[in-house]
Amino acid sequence: MPRKEIELPYRVEHLSILNENGEVDKSLEPDIPESLLVKLYRAMVLSRKFDERMLILQRQGRIGTFAPIKGQEAQVGAVALLEPGDWLVPSFREMPAEVWRGKKLENVLLLYAGYNEGGRTPDDLNNLPVSIPVGTQTLHAVGLAYGIKYRKGKNVAMAFFGDGATSEGDFHEALNFASVFQVPAVFICQNNHWAISLPRARQSHSKTLAQKALAYDMPGLQVDGNDVLAVYAAAKEAVDRARAGGGPSFIESVTYRLSMHTTADDPKKYRREEEVEQWVRRDPIIRFEKYLLGRGLLSEESVAGIADEVQAEIKEAEERWTRMTEKPADPMEMFDHAYEELPPYLLEQKEQLRRELDAKQTEAN
């Protein structure tokens, strides 16, 4: 009865293709059409500029609290693999992925301005609304993936979540179920090093988050999350495997949140500026831009042209949003869409709110 090592089918690798100078490892460079490369760049620039504009709108009091995405724009490399029939299951820091998948900019603004319409997803795409609870959406993705397998479909469900979610029970239940039933799910953890004010080291003692896949007997890969080529390549492996019936995969995308957790907190209270500056030098947009310039797919003129285009697109979306919000939101609408017939306790709350609003209106008159 010897003591011996147990052979495991998987190991954890780290994948990086594009360095901070925009230099590419030719042996790993994914085969991506040139038009798609430029489209990915434009989407990342649009997301960065829109994020910056949203921060100004929030500071002006025109929208409420939101979670900035600055530094995490390379996530578009993953959703670029999805087909319309696939499912996108986002958390609250996947604005770039949602916009790539057809969500309008004005609808993003509507959501953070408190309008129900902001949560509406495109009718012809399988996108779930933003999930605010940490990690619950991983279970939703598994349920969708199970349904796809049950119906013998070829689609996949791609779930995004942060490093903090890996400390939640939902995450472990989702990976366990996905592996036992070999469903077509792709789990993408955006490890941005901070779960609100808690550093990654206080979230998990594991050397990597990707190695958590080993416990559930599924492929796990750590990628440079600021390298859109690596994100694309990793997601392609996972999506292709899921479509072919190979079951779930887990990707740890190592990135960094350059801004605050949400507009309700001040990151200077819990992290050092020197740390942020290190990651500014790894900016995913700058390195990708250098790569595209080197390949001749962008020029200084086209870079400036794209910047102007996205600014105009954002301005037009903001104008549409402003017109849509000229009429104040009706707080009574919060009762309209969750139930076909309201349960008694909600009927009581609805009537109470109506009486309070009527009383305020009478007082105002």
Side-chain angles (χ1 to χ4, degrees):
M1 292 185 284
R3 178 171 174 166
K4 60 182 181 180
E5 185 176 349
I6 297 174
E7 292 189 10
L8 297 174
Y10 305 117
R11 294 289 184 271
V12 177
E13 296 178 332
H14 177 88
L15 176 63
S16 181
I17 299 173
L18 194 62
N19 69 17
E20 295 168 31
N21 299 318
E23 297 163 341
V24 69
D25 184 331
K26 286 290 183 184
S27 66
L28 297 173
E29 187 177 18
D31 183 17
I32 304 177
E34 294 180 350
S35 59
L36 179 55
L37 287 169
V38 176
K39 184 179 177 182
L40 287 167
Y41 171 77
R42 188 186 188 283
M44 293 168 69
V45 174
L46 173 64
S47 300
R48 173 71 60 88
K49 298 298 182 186
F50 186 50
D51 189 65
E52 292 172 350
R53 182 58 189 163
M54 287 178 67
L55 186 56
I56 293 172
L57 293 173
Q58 195 279 331
R59 295 310 192 218
Q60 292 175 343
R62 297 182 65 193
I63 63 173
T65 299
F66 79 99
I69 55 86
K70 186 176 182 180
Q72 299 187 205
E73 295 87 354
Q75 61 184 260
V76 296
V79 288
L81 274 304
L82 296 184
E83 298 174 354
D86 295 330
W87 284 91
L88 169 64
V89 186
S91 69
F92 47 77
R93 214 180 299 278
E94 274 74 50
M95 178 269 285
E98 289 188 282
V99 172
W100 180 277
R101 288 274 292 177
K103 185 165 186 172
K104 296 179 179 177
L105 300 183
E106 55 264 38
N107 279 15
V108 178
L109 295 174
L110 279 175
L111 175 66
Y112 293 114
Y115 285 76
N116 280 331
E117 295 89 336
R120 181 173 181 176
T121 57
D123 293 335
D124 56 345
L125 287 173
N126 291 335
N127 299 350
L128 287 195
V130 167
S131 174
I132 301 299
V134 177
T136 55
Q137 75 277 16
T138 56
L139 292 169
H140 305 158
V142 167
L144 291 166
Y146 184 82
I148 292 168
K149 182 174 183 180
Y150 182 79
R151 295 177 180 179
K152 304 185 186 307
K154 291 296 181 184
N155 291 113
V156 304
M158 179 179 286
F160 285 85
F161 48 92
D163 44 290
T166 65
S167 300
E168 298 288 334
D170 290 351
F171 164 79
H172 297 281
E173 292 174 17
L175 265 67
N176 187 61
F177 186 99
S179 183
V180 168
F181 292 96
Q182 288 293 287
V183 300
V186 177
F187 301 98
I188 299 183
C189 173
Q190 293 209 81
N191 173 11
N192 67 15
H193 291 75
W194 289 92
I196 307 183
S197 58
L198 199 66
R200 154 75 173 83
R202 296 287 300 279
Q203 279 293 324
S204 172
H205 196 59
S206 301
K207 188 171 183 178
T208 71
L209 297 178
Q211 70 195 66
K212 295 180 184 295
L214 301 181
Y216 300 103
D217 197 33
M218 70 174 69
L221 179 64
Q222 184 188 73
V223 302
D224 181 342
N226 282 12
D227 172 1
V228 68
L229 298 184
V231 173
Y232 179 94
K236 188 172 191 319
E237 284 183 12
V239 169
D240 287 350
R241 181 164 44 241
R243 283 198 210 286
S249 303
F250 177 47
I251 298 170
E252 177 192 1
S253 181
V254 182
T255 181
Y256 194 80
R257 161 170 56 87
L258 292 174
S259 191
M260 63 284 286
H261 169 70
T262 72
T263 49
D265 76 306
D266 178 4
K268 293 180 181 177
K269 301 290 185 185
Y270 54 80
R271 71 180 183 188
R272 295 175 294 108
E273 282 303 297
E274 292 81 4
E275 179 182 304
V276 180
E277 290 170 5
Q278 290 175 3
W279 284 91
V280 168
R281 292 193 286 273
R282 304 174 190 174
D283 190 304
I285 296 178
I286 299 300
R287 71 166 71 172
F288 192 41
E289 185 178 293
K290 290 177 179 177
Y291 165 74
L292 295 177
L293 286 168
R295 285 192 56 176
L297 299 178
L298 286 180
S299 64
E300 297 298 336
E301 291 74 20
S302 61
V303 167
I306 288 173
D308 290 342
E309 281 179 19
V310 301
Q311 292 287 20
E313 186 176 337
I314 292 167
K315 184 173 185 291
E316 290 169 4
E318 186 179 328
E319 289 171 352
R320 288 193 295 272
W321 166 69
T322 300
R323 289 194 294 272
M324 295 164 77
T325 54
E326 287 176 347
K327 180 184 175 184
D330 182 357
M332 298 303 295
E333 290 180 356
M334 73 173 80
F335 297 96
D336 288 349
H337 305 297
Y339 293 92
E340 177 70 21
E341 294 184 9
L342 287 178
Y345 74 97
L346 283 180
L347 278 172
E348 183 180 345
Q349 291 180 23
K350 183 178 180 179
E351 287 308 309
Q352 182 178 345
L353 178 61
R354 188 192 305 282
R355 288 194 296 271
E356 290 179 4
L357 293 174
D358 289 346
K360 285 187 176 181
Q361 185 62 44
T362 301
E363 184 180 334
N365 293 336

